[in-house]
Amino acid sequence: MAIIGKDIIKARQLLQAGELVAIPTETVYGLAGNALQPASVTKIFTVKNRPSFDPLIVHVHSPEKASEWVTEIPEAAKQLMDRFWPGPLTLLLKKNKQIPDLVTAGMDTVGIRCPNHPLTLSLLAELDFPLAAPSANPFGYVSPTTPAHVNEQLGAKIQYILDGGNCEVGIESTVLGFEKGKPIIHRFGGLSQEKIESIIGKVSSKIQSTSNPKSPGQLISHYAPAKTVILGKLKELIETYDPRVSGILAFQHAIPAVNSKHQFILSPGGNLEEAAQNLFSALRELDKMKIELILAEEVPDVGLGKAINDRLRRAAKH
Ligand code: TXA
Ligand code: MG
């Protein structure tokens, strides 16, 4: 198992030696390595069992640092950085030659973000390279929002997990790119479309789900627990499926027919931020229970609800 601790000097030394360290961010834990060193980046793909066509996000300390790795920053991207960084927004920008092709899976854009977590920001401030970091889970599984989640799955493969507590946002960053100057959301995430639009006006979304997507986090089946997830209206699902072997992932209200131990309520008060925070832990807990199915319902499709529903739909595709 990996050591879990708050020692940023140790984390820095491991990263400088080309090793990987799990790092906290406000969204989910990342599996970090030196983004400029192909050998470290290769380790990330190996440890995660991730296909090399899936590009990694590069984490930087500030907008100024981001400009060291890209050739241009559109005006709208500048405005978004000013307003929302550090925060759960990844921007796809034209990369320069210093970013290895391995990081971007050969694409000419690099996903860059400045994570909002004090420990990771201190770590980044002390490094003279940016950190490539996908979510710290095996490819295709639910993202980790606690150090224990990381340890359960990757603990045998890495030495150190930097302990930043539970992730505050709980769902991955929103990925936004530009096509012919127009902003396009490629993955719904921890920064809502509404907040983005309040700064730069209308944005469209291109949430792909083909087998060779632009943002492979958009593979149809992704973010998925091992158990079968069935999405629908809980009251109807519970009439179709056996409540004795079913777990429930509900937005606000429990289902009386099901054992309360097998139920997770994302937010009794109907708060989407709280629901996002609890989503991945709940999926992991349900996955460990002695049940056969996870029955889940969508949440209102506004604000962070879009990201929550996106993850639920992918979790339900097997
Ligand atoms: O919140 C997050 O974004 C977390 C934390 C650790 O920062 N990271 C994360 O990374 O979720 P990952 O690798 O699990 O998901 C990154 C997503 C993938 O769907 C990837 O395909 C997409 O971003 N992506 C990265 N670079 C891209 C690029 N240049 N073009 C298109 N999509 C890109
Ligand atoms: Mg991921």
Side-chain angles (χ1 to χ4, degrees):
M1 283 289 139
I3 295 169
I4 298 177
K6 295 183 193 294
D7 185 352
I8 60 171
I9 297 171
K10 185 177 172 84
R12 186 190 72 206
Q13 286 167 345
L14 284 165
L15 290 162
Q16 282 169 336
E19 298 298 330
L20 307 185
V21 172
I23 56 164
T25 82
E26 78 285 29
T27 58
V28 300
Y29 274 75
L31 177 64
N34 180 344
L36 304 183
Q37 200 183 82
S40 298
V41 176
T42 302
K43 282 185 194 163
I44 296 176
F45 283 98
T46 309
V47 166
K48 260 192 79 103
N49 205 2
R50 178 175 174 123
S52 58
F53 63 74
D54 193 356
L56 304 178
I57 293 173
V58 170
H59 296 68
V60 295
H61 181 255
S62 62
E64 295 71 45
K65 287 283 175 193
S67 62
E68 290 179 23
W69 316 115
V70 301
T71 58
E72 55 176 284
I73 304 182
E75 190 49 40
K78 280 195 195 123
Q79 290 174 329
L80 292 172
M81 285 174 177
D82 278 352
R83 178 65 185 81
F84 297 117
W85 278 12
L89 172 68
T90 295
L91 293 165
L92 303 179
L93 302 172
K94 289 256 181 308
K95 79 174 197 72
N96 69 20
K97 289 206 178 92
Q98 281 166 280
I99 298 292
D101 287 334
L102 201 54
V103 170
T104 63
M107 286 192 280
D108 61 358
T109 56
V110 58
I112 296 213
R113 93 172 188 100
C114 177
N116 190 13
H117 193 290
L119 271 186
T120 293
L121 285 172
S122 309
L123 178 64
L124 284 166
E126 292 184 11
L127 293 170
D128 56 7
F129 50 82
L131 291 174
S135 52
N137 51 277
F139 184 69
Y141 195 71
V142 181
S143 294
T145 53
T146 70
H149 290 165
V150 180
N151 220 6
E152 276 164 25
Q153 291 187 302
L154 300 183
K157 298 180 175 175
I158 58 174
Q159 295 178 43
Y160 199 64
I161 300 169
L162 191 58
D163 182 359
N166 293 5
C167 298
E168 265 179 23
V169 175
I171 204 159
E172 302 86 347
S173 62
T174 301
V175 177
L176 181 116
F178 296 88
E179 262 171 45
K180 300 198 179 102
K182 295 235 161 61
I184 299 176
I185 292 176
H186 291 276
R187 174 176 77 178
F188 288 115
L191 182 66
S192 69
Q193 178 168 1
E194 292 88 335
K195 283 195 177 159
I196 293 172
E197 290 182 336
S198 74
I199 303 297
I200 60 169
K202 200 86 197 119
V203 299
S204 55
S205 59
K206 206 188 242 176
I207 309 302
Q208 288 155 351
S209 52
T210 59
S211 58
N212 187 19
K214 171 133 190 201
S215 206
Q218 303 308 338
L219 285 170
I220 292 184
S221 171
H222 209 82
Y223 310 106
K227 290 212 167 80
T228 301
V229 178
I230 297 167
L231 200 55
K233 297 218 169 12
L234 290 175
K235 282 193 185 124
E236 290 168 17
L237 293 178
I238 212 65
E239 281 164 16
T240 313
Y241 299 97
D242 185 350
R244 289 167 302 179
V245 298
S246 300
I248 299 285
L249 185 62
F251 177 41
Q252 288 186 263
H253 306 291
I255 293 289
V258 177
N259 181 346
S260 62
K261 279 193 211 136
H262 294 164
Q263 303 206 46
F264 277 88
I265 314 299
L266 290 177
S267 173
N271 178 310
L272 290 166
E273 276 77 29
E274 185 184 28
Q277 250 171 27
N278 292 329
L279 177 68
F280 290 152
S281 283
L283 278 172
R284 281 173 181 260
E285 289 300 319
L286 286 162
D287 215 13
K288 283 189 214 157
M289 286 178 179
K290 283 197 180 136
I291 51 170
E292 286 167 21
L293 294 171
I294 301 171
L295 307 180
E297 64 182 350
E298 291 191 3
V299 302
D301 211 44
V302 292
L304 293 196
K306 281 192 186 162
I308 296 171
N309 288 337
D310 172 88
R311 304 306 186 270
L312 285 172
R313 285 178 206 133
R314 286 172 211 286
K317 290 265 160 56
H318 274 265

